[in-house]
Structures are given as structure tokens and as C-alpha cells.
Amino acid sequence: MEPKQQAEKVLSRVDVLALAFGAMIGWGWVVLAGEWIREAGLIGSVLAFVGGGIMVLFVGLVYSELTSAMPQTGGVTVFLERALGYGWSFIASWAIALGYISVVAFEAVALPTVVDYLFPDYQVGYLWQVAGWDVYASWVGIGMAGSLIVTWINYRGIKQAAFFQIVCTGLLTLIGLVLIIGGPLTVTPDHVSPAFTGGIAGLFGVLIMTPFMFVGFDVIPQTAAEINLPFKKIGRVLTLSVCMTVVWYIGIVYAVGRSLSPEEISRSSLPTADAMAALMNSPWGGTLLIIGGIGGILTSWNAFFVGGSRVLYVMARKGMLPEAFGRLHPKYHTPANAILLIGVCSVIAPLFGEQTLLWLANAGSLSIMMTYLLVSVSFVVLRKREPQLKRPFRAGESSWIGYGAVFTSLFLFILYLPSMPAALQWPYEWMILLLWWVLGLFYFYRGTRGKKERSQSAGSDQTA
């Protein structure tokens, strides 16, 4: 008997908000807050995140409308197929798949790297060196153990994954709020971080980094068929998650800049943890902050696992990938084979060291921006071609938000091209993209041929 091929609507408003918000706040703020303040200053960094948040909000509003109008699993694939056809749908889906899988793989090396902060001498069992990075058995073991746990949680059901997300996001949020709220209330250091450093160049340098910190809200459309909310509210929750993340980053940057002097930030390897230690007047404050950061790793890991598996699932259901990935587990109603594939990628990722996975993550970031651009274009196309399409959540009456999203995503995409500030590294990161798209070309040819054969077969049956 064919297993049930329909996702269950089990995700509540809190589940959805935790998936998106947890995915976006992640671990990056723990590592990079000091760098932002050094480059642009306290107020300069805040302004950069306001600007970056506005840029991302354009894209978030586009996703909100399209998700409410087409609340189906694998939102990107569905949006693009309706607006631009099978070919562009495959391109956008294949691009976002690399983005999601690259984040999942990178989190498998982020976890053991964070443990270095807590236990500096724990690495034993030297294995080999990859791209200048020494790989140890203990380091690999922690990454693999985390991968197996996250895979098992996702395999067992979306509700279990959502509960795990709520717990980790709650832990991370509570610890982060101690810093956000407590930082401005502490005694100002003698030499607080200056309001601006680096002038326009410094502010722009932080601005171009900010949008990449917001990647993650797009996991909501991938799970739309599993969300138990009115369609209009799905769009509102997505938009709310982006706004909450803007406030989060601004709060973190302000608290760190307000708690540490420029000299302290320059000397610190992890200013966010040092700011928490200063706030609590104890080294345990820094340890607590790092524990919260581990929660951030797990929230991103879990959310992108959910999103990536749903993208592979819907691509298989539409004939773009082998049909084995388009089957739901008969008991758990999860895309089990897609989850296992991503799980294997995550488990083996630590064997390649941090530098190799950083190349993969950067290549995946460009792919995500490519998808944002195509989704924004599809929004504009559908506004023109299907004005009567039922849109429970509307991103304004005119299409100006769509054009803003196209401009924003195109700007972000260009930043990764050669000679630009976030240019991918040659040859490693470009070779990863090349190999991914060569594989994609194979599946695209296979899928279009299969689609043509199915059409011909259906035509023959009608004739008969």
C-alpha cells in the first residue's frame, strides 16, 4: 500500500516563529559583533543593521505574500513554476538546496569549534590536515554526534523538530536578552566604543554583511503545507520574524559597544562573551553566553535541515530529482529519504575541516541570493499576470515592494561576483559552484526528458 503522501498540519504560530527567528539569529552574532563595532563604531553598526534589515524586509514581504497565496510544501519551487515555468523553478530550487545543505554542513563544524572556547585542550587523535586545518578525531566526533541527533529529531517528525527548535531558541533568547537588557544598564566604561569609526566606508563595510545574517526566514515557505494557521497569518508571522531579528542584532551590537571599550574589543577574541562577563562581573558570564551561542548553532542547524529536506522532497515530487526523495515516511510523515541524504552530508562534513566547509557555506550564500532574486521576479510577474490570484496577505496594493525586493536581491547577488566586497574565492568556492551546477544540469536534463515522456504518454492515452 502506498504510504500517505500528504504532510500533516501540525505547526503552530510559536513553532513557525521559532523556526524562522532561530534560523536567523544563529551563532554569527556571537563571533562578529566586535568586528562590526571596530569597523563602523557603535551607532554606525546600529545604522548598518537598520539599513540591512530594511533591505531584507523587502524580500521577506515578497515571501510573505507568495506563501499566503500558495501555501504548499517547497514554496520556492511552487512560486517559480507558476510564475516562470519548470526551468526557472528548477534553477531556484537547486540553488536554495545548495544554500540549505551548506549551512547544515557548516553547523557540523561550528559545534566542535565552539567547544574549543569552553575546553581549549580537548582535541585529541590527530587525523589529517585539510586546506591548512588540522582535523582531530575528538573534534570530528562532536560534529558527527550533533549531526546524528539533529537527523534523528527531523526523521521522527516535524513536530519533534519544532519542539527542539523552541527549546533551543528559548535558551538562546533568554541568554541574549540578559546581555541586550543588562548592557545599557551597567556602568559606562571610561572609554566606551565611539559612535562612528571608518566613516562611510566603515558603515558600508558592515552594511554589506548584515543581509547575510538574516538568511533563514525563507524556511517558512518550505514548510507551508505543515503550518496550522490561517494563510494570512503565515505571512504576518514571517514578517514579524524578520522585524524581531532586526531588533535582536541592534540590541546585541549596542550592548557590546556599550559594555566594552575599544581597547577591550580589540584585545578580545570573543567580545560578545567578554561583554557578558563584564555585565555579570564573572567569567561565568562569558561561558553562559557561549552556551547560548551553542543554542544558536542548533537552531540554524535544525531549521535549515527542515527547509532543505522539504526542497528536495518537492523537487522529487515534481520529477526534478529521483522519486525516492519524494516519499513520506508511513508513520512519521516526514520526507525520510531527503532527511537521510542531508544527514549523511552533515555527518561526513567534519572530516573536511572548517576551511573547506567555509568555502561551501560561501558558495551556498551566493546561491541563496540567486533564489531571492528569482522569487522577487516571480512576485512581480504574478502581480502583473495574475492580479486576481487570492492573496490573503498582500505586500502593499502596488508592486513597488516587489521591485524593491528585485533591486535589493540583485544588489546582494552582485556583491559575490569578482572584484566585489564579498567576492567568492577562486578557485575553491567557484569550483564548488561549478560542480554543483554540473550535477544540476544532469538532473535538469533527466527531469525535462521525463516530463516530456510523461506528456507524450498522456497524449497517447487520450488519443487511444
Side-chain angles (χ1 to χ4, degrees), residues 77-366:
T77 311
V78 177
F79 305 159
L80 267 294
E81 186 173 41
R82 182 158 185 163
L84 301 175
Y86 178 91
W88 288 108
S89 177
F90 179 92
I91 291 172
S93 303
W94 192 243
I96 202 71
L98 175 60
Y100 288 163
I101 293 172
S102 69
V103 174
V104 169
F106 186 76
E107 302 299 3
V109 303
L111 180 61
T113 301
V114 172
V115 175
D116 276 336
Y117 290 106
L118 298 176
F119 307 102
D121 300 320
Y122 86 97
Q123 295 197 29
V124 295
Y126 177 80
L127 297 177
W128 48 68
Q129 188 179 88
V130 182
W133 181 270
D134 292 333
V135 180
Y136 290 85
S138 57
W139 191 86
V140 169
I142 291 175
M144 286 185 169
S147 299
L148 290 172
I149 291 171
V150 177
T151 301
W152 179 77
I153 290 171
N154 278 268
Y155 188 86
R156 295 275 297 182
I158 184 64
K159 194 62 180 177
Q160 284 79 358
F163 176 76
F164 178 72
Q165 187 78 0
I166 289 173
V167 172
C168 293
T169 303
L171 170 69
L172 169 61
T173 303
L174 287 174
I175 294 174
L177 284 176
V178 173
L179 178 61
I180 291 173
I181 297 173
L185 299 179
T186 58
V187 178
T188 306
D190 294 335
H191 302 288
V192 70
S193 296
F196 296 95
T197 59
I200 296 297
L203 192 149
F204 187 77
V206 176
L207 177 64
I208 64 173
M209 289 191 280
T210 58
F212 314 124
M213 306 305 297
F214 292 94
V215 171
F217 65 84
D218 42 296
V219 301
I220 292 181
Q222 314 312 326
T223 61
E226 298 164 277
I227 298 175
N228 187 24
L229 282 176
F231 300 151
K232 186 174 185 177
K233 291 185 178 180
I234 296 176
R236 289 178 177 175
V237 171
L238 194 157
T239 305
L240 175 62
S241 68
V242 176
C243 294
M244 287 173 58
T245 306
V246 174
V247 173
W248 174 271
Y249 281 118
I250 290 174
I252 291 294
V253 167
Y254 185 79
V256 173
R258 174 69 172 62
S259 302
L260 300 177
S261 67
E263 293 76 16
E264 290 171 325
I265 291 177
S266 297
R267 291 195 303 265
S268 174
S269 60
L270 206 61
T272 317
D274 287 343
M276 183 70 113
L279 172 65
M280 300 182 69
N281 197 28
S282 169
W284 281 103
T287 302
L288 181 64
L289 193 284
I290 293 172
I291 292 173
I294 292 175
I297 290 174
L298 295 175
T299 57
S300 291
W301 203 345
N302 185 58
F304 284 100
F305 215 117
V306 170
S309 60
R310 271 61 182 177
V311 168
L312 297 182
Y313 165 77
V314 77
M315 289 182 74
R317 296 291 291 175
K318 291 183 175 295
M320 299 176 180
L321 294 178
E323 63 176 337
F325 299 117
R327 297 173 186 158
L328 293 180
H329 192 282
K331 179 180 179 181
Y332 304 126
H333 309 301
T334 56
N337 292 332
I339 288 172
L340 291 176
L341 175 63
I342 297 177
V344 169
C345 295
S346 185
V347 168
I348 66 174
L351 296 171
F352 295 91
E354 183 175 304
Q355 182 58 57
T356 304
L357 273 297
L358 182 60
W359 293 335
L360 175 63
N362 289 339
S365 294
L366 181 143

